[in-house]
Amino acid sequence: DMQGCALLFAELLQRFPAEQMIVPVPWQQERLLELLMSAGADITDGRNSGTVWLAGAGSLLSQCAPLLPPILDSFLKLQGDGSYLITDGKREETIDDDGLLSLLFDPESPHLALAPKAFRTIALPYLSGLHFV
């Protein structure tokens, strides 16, 4: 409940006054971000602070398939050299593992320009620290 979260933050500041409160709020929590902004909070964009290590692109794409559009195969292809070719039918771009992770998980990825309209960035939990998926 996003409104409940915003009320908890307000209550926290009332009970324990502080100059500032830093709370990581994921980009996909749009409603909570709207509530915080309407309450006068300063919102600062930042990258997810964790580390994602890509152990196997094929496995990752297979496991993410339910979250991705069925036309993924027509827009993203794994190349023999380990790179990935993304195309919108008119333009194409070759990306590496970092580019693939950006495309899949970064809502501000420059590679999204070639993605089909049905494509949506996959939301990750807050990754402070090191996680193996």
Side-chain angles (χ1 to χ4, degrees):
D1 177 9
M2 295 305 132
Q3 188 148 1
C5 288
L7 290 171
L8 284 172
F9 295 151
E11 180 71 19
L12 182 67
L13 283 174
Q14 270 189 336
R15 288 185 187 208
F16 306 100
E19 280 187 39
Q20 67 177 351
M21 179 170 55
I22 300 172
V23 179
V25 177
W27 58 267
Q28 68 271 17
Q29 298 297 335
E30 294 170 355
R31 179 69 181 127
L32 180 56
L33 290 168
E34 288 170 6
L35 288 168
L36 293 172
M37 284 190 292
S38 69
D42 290 328
I43 305 294
T44 305
D45 284 337
R47 297 185 62 85
N48 199 331
S49 67
T51 301
V52 174
W53 178 63
L54 179 58
S59 295
L60 174 67
L61 291 171
S62 173
Q63 291 170 11
C64 290
L67 302 172
L68 299 170
I71 58 170
L72 182 69
D73 291 338
S74 66
F75 128 81
L76 174 70
K77 300 224 184 293
L78 178 60
Q79 305 289 87
D81 64 358
S83 65
Y84 313 89
L85 180 68
I86 55 175
T87 181
D88 64 1
K90 298 175 189 151
R91 300 170 294 158
E92 59 183 43
E93 181 180 348
T94 301
I95 58 174
D96 58 9
D97 286 345
D98 288 337
L100 177 65
L101 293 173
S102 171
L103 175 70
L104 293 176
F105 304 116
D106 182 359
E108 296 181 9
S109 173
H111 310 299
L112 289 173
L114 294 176
K117 289 182 182 182
F119 183 84
R120 296 288 176 261
T121 304
I122 298 171
L124 286 174
Y126 184 61
L127 294 176
S128 182
L130 177 64
H131 299 266
F132 180 82
V133 179

